[in-house]
């Protein structure tokens, strides 16, 4: 019996599951939002993931349902579970990724190190938090944000007035999340895979570089990371994966503070941009590990195959033409670069691909990866 | 404009082009012999590759035609070329792979080292060759042989009587190929990629192990290979690729003799079993390199990423059930093994998948790869 995995969502994360699925002989089925998406090759259905009937029909012919994103509504997830479908990650875990207030509350319950935070329902509460934290803070809408959207650094509550106004108009009411502005020296990410039967496996700790809230570069393993730091990150990742009951891949985005602490920033319960380096730099890629995890199969080894691997996102792409118009130039100058494109039309700021380079010397690897990625930009 | 590659033939070689095509964003289209084949995911047409109209219709929507095998008849290839289709490798190169007598004659013309050989049209000529070469020789049918089929070691011409009888019944007449039985210490394979515009790139020389004419194991790079030997093999590979005008991947199967010479055994003009190790052990896989080559794009780096990589074929597969019934056992015991299955039903002797392990210590790597592959057998 061929193993069958159904992925809800047809973006690049689903797309990048195709290669390991083909290699292992797993049948990958994708419920895409529309035709012509990144994971189009494996799209067996097109429909609205917010519609329970659509998702239930899609789930009928697969062994397990997993996700390209975390936006499937809880009522749809509940309908899947009620119908006896294996759903990984499950609704309870996804609830934590879907709402940043739930996330903060759960991290507090689990005793995880994190920024000071509060739920605020009006400008006065927000101003109090700002005043108590040195005059600046980070305000976030609890739901729907990604890649820097729904996140603002503010020094006065008035700067979030529009968000409070939107809350007031929302029949469900609600609150904003406010967090202390962490004085971090850099950002790190820890990936953990967890099986439904409970086993866990960590990937090496990596350093991530964000620009305007969007990941631009990842260095694996994180340079200048002590064994103490790496173990602390792994412990945090496993405590969260276990505590929340994540199944599949979990990415824990972390701040490393100037005084040497690590704090939990955000979570992703799926393959994550911080793990794209594993495709070309680890024995097992995060995409293969995710498939193994959701099928409750034993994990692949997660060791890096080279001393350093650097991933650089292609953001936006060329102003004219497609990514493959640049293949000749990129490949001629950068034969060691692994080029990944997502089949998405170039658009300013959009993640349309990434480039990975692995090797012995970190400076060389960083230089090559940035140079190769830059060929795809104007 | 998305680059589009059409592959004639839906076997595992076409299947293994899917992963790099998805990563690069190349549209792969496959003309499969029937439904449900190894490369089924990318099959956009099903039909007979011996029918020119079928292949011409398939070729209409792609930028280049390439192949999963070398069996497309010359008249079909000629029709493609006449219609202005880019065909890589082209008809002249494929003619050399399609007929072992043509191969031997071309190797002689190119001055390549090879076993003594002759074209024999009757038993007397064969017996003369046997007598002149120590009482034993290898007889081959010039066409249609693969994986040890169409090859016999004989000590008397009578052992090929049935093949001569078949020749006599064939209206086209014809000859058999006879070769000296080479006293070889081991077999090697050299892969070369060549672009239509002429550039070439070699992969590391590997050692291959055959059993009953079928490849069972590949070690990369070839152990105990001097630089002199490696350069000699690369020179031979490039001279053949250039001399025959191969475009795409070329594999040159070589004998290393007990007295230290290397002799050309056979050629394959496509990705080849001797190069499957590159998927998990080289910067660029042979499948990606083939796609780059046939699209006339610059080559990827071919260096090994680990000191040793060993590939072991899964021949036959389990007597009961499918390969994925063994995933749990194989993955639990061999986390570093990369498992590749071809979506083919198990059958005695059939190549249904392979396992690759890479690492620092050759003995460990060989042990792990063999042990992991054996989990899939009974």
């Amino acid at each position: 019996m061929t193993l069958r995995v159904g992925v809800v969502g047809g973006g690049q994360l689903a797309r990048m599951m195709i290669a390991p699925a083909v290699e292992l002989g797993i049948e990958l089925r994708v419920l895409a939002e529309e035709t012509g998406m990144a994971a189009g090759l494996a799209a067996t259905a097109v429909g609205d993931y917010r519609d329970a009937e659509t998702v239930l029909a899609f789930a009928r012919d697969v062994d397990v349902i997993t996700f390209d994103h975390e936006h499937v509504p809880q009522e749809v997830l509940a309908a899947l579970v009620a119908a006896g479908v294996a759903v990984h990650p499950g609704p309870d875990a996804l609830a934590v990724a879907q709402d940043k207030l739930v996330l903060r509350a759960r991290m507090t319950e689990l005793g995880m190190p994190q920024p000071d935070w509060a739920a605020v329902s009006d400008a006065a509460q927000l101003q109090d938090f700002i005043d108590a934290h040195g005059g600046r803070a980070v305000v976030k809408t609890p739901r729907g944000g990604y890649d820097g959207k729904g996140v603002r650094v503010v020094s006065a509550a008035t700067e979030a007035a529009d968000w409070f106004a939107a809350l007031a108009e929302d029949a469900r009411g609600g609150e904003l999340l406010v967090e202390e502005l962490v004085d971090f020296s850099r950002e790190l990410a820890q990936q953990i895979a967890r099986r439904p039967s409970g086993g866990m496996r960590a990937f090496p700790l990596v350093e991530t570089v964000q620009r305007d809230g969007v990941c631009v570069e990842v260095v694996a393993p994180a340079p200048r990371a002590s064994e103490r730091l790496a173990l602390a990150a792994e412990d945090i990742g496993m405590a969260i994966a276990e505590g929340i009951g994540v199944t599949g891949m979990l990415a824990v985005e972390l701040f490393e503070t100037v005084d040497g602490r690590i704090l939990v920033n955000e979570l992703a319960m799926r393959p994550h941009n911080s793990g794209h380096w594993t495709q070309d730099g680890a024995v097992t890629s995060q995409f293969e590990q995710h498939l193994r995890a959701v099928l409750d199969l034993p994990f692949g080894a997660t060791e890096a195959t080279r001393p350093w691997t650097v991933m650089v996102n292609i953001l936006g792409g060329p102003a004219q033409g497609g990514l493959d118009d640049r293949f000749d130039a990129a490949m001629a100058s950068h034969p060691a670069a692994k080029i990944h494109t997502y089949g998405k039309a170039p658009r300013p700021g959009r993640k349309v691909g990434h480039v990975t380079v692995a090797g012995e010397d970190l400076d060389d690897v960083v230089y090559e990866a940035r140079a190769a990625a830059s060929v795809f930009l104007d």
Side-chain angles (χ1 to χ4, degrees), chain A:
Chain A
M1 277 289 292
T2 302
L3 300 168
R4 296 162 307 172
V5 174
V7 186
V8 178
Q12 66 257 29
L13 301 178
R15 177 190 182 94
M16 290 187 272
M17 293 179 204
I18 296 173
V22 170
E23 295 304 348
L24 286 171
I26 292 166
E27 186 178 328
L28 196 75
R29 295 181 175 219
V30 171
L31 173 62
E33 292 82 346
E34 55 193 38
T35 57
M37 287 191 69
L41 180 63
T44 54
V46 170
D48 187 347
Y49 61 79
R50 295 164 301 188
D51 178 64
E53 265 187 61
T54 299
V55 181
L56 277 167
F58 172 68
R60 207 161 288 142
D61 297 322
V62 299
D63 299 311
V64 55
I65 285 287
T66 188
F67 308 95
D68 173 73
H69 57 70
E70 291 125 341
H71 308 317
V72 177
Q74 283 289 325
E75 50 273 27
V76 175
L77 298 170
L80 287 168
V81 171
V85 176
V87 180
H88 299 296
D92 292 348
L94 280 169
V96 180
Q98 290 175 335
D99 189 309
K100 289 171 182 161
L101 280 168
V102 175
L103 165 69
R104 286 297 172 217
R106 290 290 282 134
M107 292 302 100
T108 299
E109 283 170 28
L110 292 172
M112 292 296 108
Q114 61 177 339
D116 273 352
W117 66 279
V120 291
S121 49
D122 60 38
Q125 290 178 359
L126 175 57
Q127 193 61 53
D128 285 349
F129 188 95
I130 294 170
D131 294 343
H133 289 84
R136 295 177 79 195
V138 183
V139 189
K140 298 181 178 179
T141 54
R143 293 176 155 270
Y146 67 97
D147 279 356
K149 292 176 182 64
V151 177
R152 274 183 208 162
V153 176
V154 300
S155 47
T158 50
E159 296 172 58
D162 55 332
W163 285 352
F164 281 119
L167 285 185
E169 278 171 30
D170 189 332
R172 294 175 303 178
E175 298 171 308
L176 297 179
L177 169 64
V178 58
E179 300 175 359
E180 69 169 312
L181 185 64
V182 174
D183 189 13
F184 61 85
S185 53
R186 61 172 171 172
E187 295 187 64
L188 303 168
Q190 176 65 59
Q191 288 192 295
I192 303 284
R194 185 169 175 276
R195 297 173 61 173
S197 58
M200 290 190 278
R201 183 74 53 97
F203 277 95
L205 181 68
V206 302
E207 179 173 337
T208 67
V209 181
Q210 263 71 228
R211 195 173 301 143
D212 301 328
V214 180
C215 176
V216 293
E217 192 171 303
V218 173
V219 181
R224 306 174 311 281
S226 64
E227 200 179 337
R228 186 197 61 77
L229 179 72
L231 286 174
E234 199 173 306
D235 284 350
I236 288 170
M238 290 200 175
I240 294 173
E242 182 83 35
I244 294 180
V246 178
T247 42
M249 288 300 305
L250 167 70
V252 182
E253 296 185 81
L254 297 159
F255 295 124
E256 184 176 4
T257 65
V258 290
D259 57 350
R261 294 172 300 139
I262 47 177
L263 305 175
V264 174
N265 180 16
E266 302 204 342
L267 305 184
M269 292 174 201
R270 47 174 169 77
H272 187 247
N273 202 162
S274 65
H276 291 355
W277 72 275
T278 58
Q279 294 174 307
D280 303 304
V283 174
T284 305
S285 80
Q286 65 164 343
F287 300 100
E288 177 174 342
Q289 200 78 308
H290 187 72
L291 293 175
R292 291 187 184 217
V294 301
L295 286 165
D296 206 13
L297 287 168
F299 293 124
T302 53
E303 293 96 65
T305 54
R306 306 295 291 274
W308 298 105
T309 304
V310 172
M311 189 281 325
V312 176
N313 276 337
I314 302 172
L315 292 171
Q320 296 286 324
L323 290 167
D324 50 8
D325 294 330
R326 308 292 173 94
F327 277 180
D328 209 86
M331 291 173 177
S333 303
H334 307 286
K338 303 306 299 176
I339 298 165
H340 301 258
T341 73
Y342 305 155
K344 293 158 72 175
R347 198 165 68 198
R350 195 180 203 194
K351 287 180 185 174
V352 292
H354 68 272
V355 169
T356 308
V357 176
E360 310 290 315
D361 181 89
L362 179 55
D363 288 342
D364 287 352
V365 168
V366 168
Y367 178 86
E368 273 296 298
R370 288 180 186 168
S374 75
V375 176
F376 293 95
L377 308 176
D378 280 307

